[in-house]
Amino acid sequence: MNLPNKLTLLRVILVPFYVFFMLTDIVPFSPVIALAIFVAASATDALDGHIARSRNLVTTFGKFLDPLADKVLVVSALMCMVERGVIGSVPVIIIVAREFMVSGLRLVTANEGVVVAAGIWGKLKTAFTMVAQVVIMLGMCFSFEGRAAETAAVVYQILIWTATALTVISGAVYLKGYWKYIDSSK
């Protein structure tokens, strides 16, 4: 297994630790620890892709595992934020539905010998969603009150709904690009 794939696996391995610290109140500074874990896991996403491309280590396994690892990390973080009452469930449902759709699309195209690699819209969606989650988690590390709490809540909503819009756009781009593999009339 090459280094980029090991970094991708590390991202998956970090998820349970992130979830624990995100949802626990018994460990001092747990939101800060969760944020640090999330940032480290997110950094492996940029790093594994850069190393794979620059050293010509792109593999079919990596093309499969990298987007899956992204989904596990991002969806876990979103679910924790819903659990903590920081964001609503509707944008998360939309995001998760898109993730299932793209994963299903990858399964269908795999039967045809086609690997659906992450496109620019998918990468943009993932990067923005991760940045939005970092900003939201950073806010969770502080105890805002009054007007500051209201402002933070509005910022969180803008971030999560922007991520949701990018998610829908990227899903539509994938569907359009690979429609011939799912169009039953052909």
Side-chain angles (χ1 to χ4, degrees):
M1 180 173 296
N2 65 30
L3 179 59
N5 290 342
K6 288 178 182 176
L7 288 170
T8 302
L9 279 177
L10 176 62
R11 188 158 64 253
V12 175
I13 291 167
L14 288 173
V15 169
F17 297 98
Y18 165 80
V19 170
F20 172 77
F21 287 106
M22 187 69 167
L23 297 181
T24 189
D25 290 325
I26 60 172
V27 177
F29 305 106
S30 59
V32 176
I33 296 168
L35 174 60
I37 292 169
F38 187 86
V39 168
S42 297
T44 68
D45 184 36
L47 191 58
D48 65 9
H50 173 73
I51 292 171
R53 287 184 298 278
S54 68
R55 298 183 186 173
N56 199 23
L57 296 173
V58 176
T59 64
T60 300
F61 179 72
K63 287 180 186 179
F64 164 76
L65 186 62
D66 183 66
L68 184 61
D70 293 342
K71 287 171 184 35
V72 170
L73 177 62
V74 168
V75 171
S76 295
L78 291 170
M79 298 302 269
C80 288
M81 290 176 191
V82 169
E83 176 74 17
R84 295 295 252 176
V86 179
I87 61 172
S89 60
V90 173
V92 176
I93 291 167
I94 294 168
I95 291 169
V96 170
R98 181 266 187 206
E99 300 304 346
F100 277 119
M101 185 273 302
V102 171
S103 295
L105 180 62
R106 283 190 167 101
L107 289 173
V108 169
T109 60
N111 283 338
E112 302 291 327
V114 176
V115 174
V116 178
I120 187 66
W121 280 101
K123 290 177 183 180
L124 178 63
K125 177 268 310 177
T126 299
F128 184 87
T129 303
M130 287 180 173
V131 169
Q133 289 173 314
V134 167
V135 171
I136 293 168
M137 282 183 268
L138 188 58
M140 291 173 67
C141 293
F142 299 96
S143 297
F144 295 118
E145 294 182 20
R147 185 89 168 128
E150 292 171 11
T151 302
V154 169
V155 169
Y156 300 163
Q157 292 306 308
I158 291 169
L159 289 170
I160 198 63
W161 281 106
T162 302
T164 304
L166 288 170
T167 297
V168 170
I169 292 167
S170 70
V173 168
Y174 281 120
L175 271 179
K176 182 179 181 219
Y178 293 94
W179 186 255
K180 66 182 176 184
Y181 295 101
I182 57 174
D183 185 1
S184 61
S185 65
K186 291 184 179 181

